Amino acid sequence: MKLNTLILGLCSASALAFAAHAESITIATVNNGDMIRMQKLTDDFTAKNPDIQLQWVTLEENVLRERVTTDIATKGGQYDVMTIGTYEVPIWAKQGWLLPLENLGADYDAGDIIPAIAGGLTVDGKLYAAPFYGESSFIMYRKDLMEKAGLTMPDAPTWEFVADAARKMTDRAADINGICLRGKAGWGENMAFLTATSNSFGARWFDENWVPQFDQPEWKNTLQFYVDLMKDAGPSGASSNGFNENLALFQQGKCGMWIDATVAASFVSNPKDSIVAEKVGYALAPDTGLGKRGNWLWAWSLAVPAGTQKADAAQKFISWATSKDYLALVAEKEGWANVPPGTRTSLYENPEYQKAAPFAKMTLDSINAADPTKPTVKPVPYTGVQFVAIPEFQGLGTTVGQLFSAALAGQMTVDDALAQAQSVTTREMTRGGYIK
């Protein structure tokens, strides 16, 4: 008995000693489905890296952006890995806030990352964030409701067609909304959708001299079209709906169409979660015939803040989470249709993925069609499709998003929202020295 007790004591002491020497890294991420799935699969990482423990901070999109921005700007050091987007990476890298990812391992194959995605994460030839998933936006629609309305969705529809179809598919008695679109305020929520949409209407945030353009007819046409369409064919309380809320509505069969991130395709087509999985079709984001479609370009990516003391462990995790092997792991556990999309060329060349994911080609076409260097019909001094790649945009986009969300909720008119957007944006751009 005493020998057994001694052995157990020694084992416990060894375990405690090992735990004391294990390095713990804190990962801040968004509460989207692919990231939730990643957390469930991290036993694979810890089995391969028993000396690294993972601590998770999982937040709603707007809250995540606020927290990581505050932490990195104040050098708070709360996180060792941050989930950030295509907007933040080049700005933060140039400010010295991120470490270049130079230790991802010999087998990582960074050259396999889709060029359109890698370009937004690279500064001066160095990769500063690794894409966990990449996306554009497109139309997801109910084929049965489209047929019932007597319509056929084109591969490349116009906004006129989409609006007509949405109104015809709306059935309030059956709790079916013809269309679900983002209304929740935030530069990465409703303004991601509305900025991309405005591009297709010929609008722009600024002219060549950085003068705001919300007082121009193109923005009036964009916002009025959106508010009217959502009033006629959108869900109640739409001003509170972002990506996750609209995803739930679509999966529950309450949306005839949903224009949003291409990454949603695997969730709406998964019969485990979506009651309309067998009825979903896909089409390119709409246009108005001006040469620009209302689709964006984005990647949720993993980056290492410059203030971390655990850079090597952080890069080991990032390498695991964004590798070809991770895609294969998800395919093994969840099926090829559910792997994180939009990051690697090899995925789109994989016959198993092509067969399992009917949305694959449309996703890749949408990603490749978005041009951050020429996002608008008229010339602009900025890059970015659904955002303006300047530090001030995060605050400006959120403020304007609140105004436009209020217009959607009926708390102010479209004209008032645009007038206030013009005023606040002009003030901030003057204060920032953009307008002389």
Side-chain angles (χ1 to χ4, degrees), residues 366-387:
S366 297
I367 287 173
N368 288 331
D371 186 357
T373 64
K374 296 180 181 178
T376 54
V377 175
K378 297 178 181 178
V380 291
Y382 55 85
T383 59
V385 180
Q386 77 278 22
F387 58 81

Side-chain angles (χ1 to χ4, degrees), residues 326-342:
Y326 178 78
L327 299 184
L329 176 66
V330 177
E332 176 189 343
K333 301 291 185 181
E334 304 283 345
W336 276 107
N338 294 309
V339 304

Side-chain angles (χ1 to χ4, degrees), residues 65-322:
R65 289 190 167 108
E66 180 182 346
R67 295 272 183 87
V68 298
T69 300
T70 299
D71 186 71
I72 203 163
T74 61
K75 301 179 181 179
Q78 294 185 60
Y79 313 116
D80 304 296
V81 176
M82 291 179 165
T83 304
I84 59 177
T86 309
Y87 164 72
E88 293 97 343
V89 175
I91 296 173
W92 292 5
K94 289 175 183 176
Q95 291 174 316
W97 291 355
L98 301 176
L99 296 179
L101 301 181
E102 298 177 315
N103 296 304
L104 295 176
D107 299 330
Y108 184 73
D109 193 6
D112 186 46
I113 299 173
I114 293 170
I117 298 297
L121 308 176
T122 302
V123 177
D124 296 331
K126 294 182 179 180
L127 191 69
Y128 277 85
F132 182 71
Y133 70 73
E135 65 180 36
S136 183
S137 54
F138 61 10
I139 303 173
M140 294 158 278
Y141 68 94
R142 290 270 300 277
K143 292 185 286 188
D144 58 325
L145 296 181
M146 190 68 68
E147 182 179 353
K148 183 179 178 181
L151 299 170
T152 300
M153 174 69 82
D155 286 341
T158 64
W159 276 111
E160 183 180 7
F161 175 88
V162 166
D164 178 59
R167 290 181 169 99
K168 288 179 178 176
M169 285 193 289
T170 298
D171 185 346
R172 299 298 189 197
D175 198 19
I176 294 174
N177 309 287
I179 195 163
C180 294
L181 302 173
R182 297 189 187 193
K184 179 186 288 186
W187 71 265
E189 280 282 9
N190 66 337
M191 289 313 297
F193 172 78
L194 284 170
T195 299
T197 298
S198 75
N199 295 339
S200 67
F201 276 76
R204 51 187 176 166
W205 267 73
F206 306 104
D207 69 9
E208 301 95 315
N209 298 312
W210 293 102
V211 176
Q213 298 293 289
F214 293 107
D215 59 353
Q216 296 302 301
E218 293 88 352
W219 262 110
K220 172 66 181 291
N221 294 340
T222 301
L223 192 58
Q224 192 68 61
F225 176 90
Y226 163 78
V227 169
D228 290 345
L229 178 59
M230 292 295 281
K231 179 181 178 181
D232 294 345
S236 61
S239 61
S240 298
N241 292 346
F243 174 84
N244 285 326
E245 291 81 8
N246 283 327
L247 170 60
L249 287 171
F250 195 96
Q251 289 176 320
Q252 294 162 10
K254 296 183 179 181
C255 304
M257 286 180 286
W258 180 29
I259 303 173
D260 213 298
T262 53
V263 72
S266 68
F267 297 105
V268 300
S269 62
N270 187 340
K272 292 181 182 179
D273 304 311
S274 174
I275 67 172
V276 298
E278 306 300 326
K279 304 173 182 177
V280 184
Y282 309 93
L284 293 175
D287 70 0
T288 62
L290 297 177
K292 294 291 180 182
R293 294 201 165 271
N295 62 300
W296 63 64
L297 183 66
W298 184 256
W300 275 118
S301 302
L302 302 178
V304 180
T308 182
Q309 301 299 311
K310 304 169 184 177
D312 288 343
Q315 291 199 57
K316 282 184 180 179
F317 174 78
I318 290 174
S319 178
W320 172 84
T322 63

